[in-house]
Amino acid sequence: MEAHQEMLKTNKEGWEQAAERFFGRTALPDYGPFAPSEQQLHLFGTLAQKKVLEIGCGSGHSLQYMKNQGAEELWGLDLASKQISAAKALLDEQQAKVTLFESPMEANPGIPLNYFDTVYSIYALGWTVDLKQTLRHIYAYLKPGGTFIFSWEHPIHDRLSYNEDLSAFVFDKPYTVEGPELNAGWHQSVYIYHRKLSTYINALLEMGFKLERVIDDVVFPEQAADVSRWYSTAKAELLPATFIVKARK
């Protein structure tokens, strides 16, 4: 547990420094790089009069989307105070009533149980340092029959990188070895726990969720993303950048 707290401290410091860089990025209706959007997938269905909670709400743009879709109650939590401040400012501009918590997702900061129609997380769940504990909380937050939807970077994505002369991709990290790693995309300044896709699936099942969809389709943008970028079109031609899961309590 002490190691988890140290990783959370490091990650919070990293997000406080980088929050502005991620303002408005990777938010609904988009699920993530090279992934089909909610406009294509229709995973959420009708949101009118629904109570929704976002895990890792970032700058609040996905909560703004929920408001625009008619959600009745908006709730969110995020590790970084700058993200919570940005989300509050954005949603205040929209005159949206929202309840926000600055908290790690591994703890319940006062969120009601058996309350939400929908809990979701857009490119945030993978930051957890304790997946089972986080999923245990999410399961408890949902009403019976409630829906949990999340997206995250596909765990095979950062196993592949360009070699030094940018002439070819190489697998430079093992997919099967799990554990916390200093993340190359963040210049080794934060920890992200590498987990296999099966680990996410099995943890959901262990917590009692019923799986409805697992999606790792690739959708290419009209303009190719340069090979120097973390999410490049060349890499997406070989393997998915994003996976999406829909499950039900």
Side-chain angles (χ1 to χ4, degrees), residues 28 44 47 52 61-72 74 118 120:
L28 288 171
F44 283 94
L47 288 163
V52 303
H61 286 77
S62 288
L63 284 168
Q64 181 186 48
Y65 173 85
M66 288 288 171
K67 175 186 179 294
N68 293 338
Q69 298 301 308
E72 179 182 15
L74 307 176
T118 301
Y120 67 97

Side-chain angles (χ1 to χ4, degrees), residues 109-120:
I111 295 170
L113 307 183
N114 298 302
Y115 188 76
F116 295 94
D117 301 287
T118 301
V119 178
Y120 67 97

Side-chain angles (χ1 to χ4, degrees), residues 160-176:
L160 191 70
S161 64
Y162 258 121
N163 60 12
E164 291 184 3
D165 62 4
L166 301 182
S167 61
F169 282 109
V170 294
F171 276 99
D172 57 359
K173 295 179 183 178
Y175 176 77
T176 55

Side-chain angles (χ1 to χ4, degrees), residues 3-191:
H4 286 176
Q5 292 304 314
E6 286 299 316
M7 284 190 284
L8 284 172
K9 180 182 177 182
T10 297
N11 289 351
K12 179 175 173 60
E13 291 171 354
W15 270 107
E16 298 295 3
Q17 294 175 14
E20 290 87 351
R21 182 160 59 95
F22 289 91
F23 185 82
R25 288 174 57 182
T26 315
L28 288 171
D30 293 329
Y31 282 102
F34 299 103
S37 70
E38 174 59 12
Q39 293 160 331
Q40 297 166 295
L41 295 173
H42 307 291
L43 297 179
F44 283 94
T46 300
L47 288 163
Q49 307 304 309
K50 296 293 180 64
K51 298 177 177 68
V52 303
L53 166 66
E54 181 170 9
I55 305 299
C57 63
S59 55
H61 286 77
S62 288
L63 284 168
Q64 181 186 48
Y65 173 85
M66 288 288 171
K67 175 186 179 294
N68 293 338
Q69 298 301 308
E72 179 182 15
E73 290 188 27
L74 307 176
W75 296 63
L77 84 162
D78 200 277
L79 182 64
S81 60
K82 284 189 177 179
Q83 296 281 57
I84 292 295
S85 296
K88 185 177 186 305
L90 175 72
L91 293 162
D92 282 350
E93 287 180 5
Q94 305 296 315
Q95 299 181 327
K97 184 179 179 181
V98 62
T99 304
L100 298 173
F101 295 93
E102 181 186 336
S103 171
M105 64 183 79
E106 296 80 2
N108 181 350
I111 295 170
L113 307 183
N114 298 302
Y115 188 76
F116 295 94
D117 301 287
T118 301
V119 178
Y120 67 97
S121 181
I122 307 303
Y123 251 66
L125 185 72
W127 284 94
T128 184
V129 299
D130 189 333
L131 179 63
K132 290 184 179 180
Q133 180 66 12
T134 296
L135 292 178
R136 190 173 292 114
H137 284 305
I138 291 170
Y139 190 87
Y141 299 148
L142 283 165
K143 295 177 180 178
T147 299
F148 175 44
I149 296 170
F150 76 92
S151 65
W152 180 239
E153 182 178 285
H154 200 291
I156 203 169
H157 180 268
D158 74 344
R159 307 293 95 179
L160 191 70
S161 64
Y162 258 121
N163 60 12
E164 291 184 3
D165 62 4
L166 301 182
S167 61
F169 282 109
V170 294
F171 276 99
D172 57 359
K173 295 179 183 178
Y175 176 77
T176 55
V177 178
E178 299 183 302
E181 300 174 347
L182 287 167
N183 186 260
W186 280 67
H187 307 293
Q188 317 297 326
S189 64
V190 297
Y191 288 94

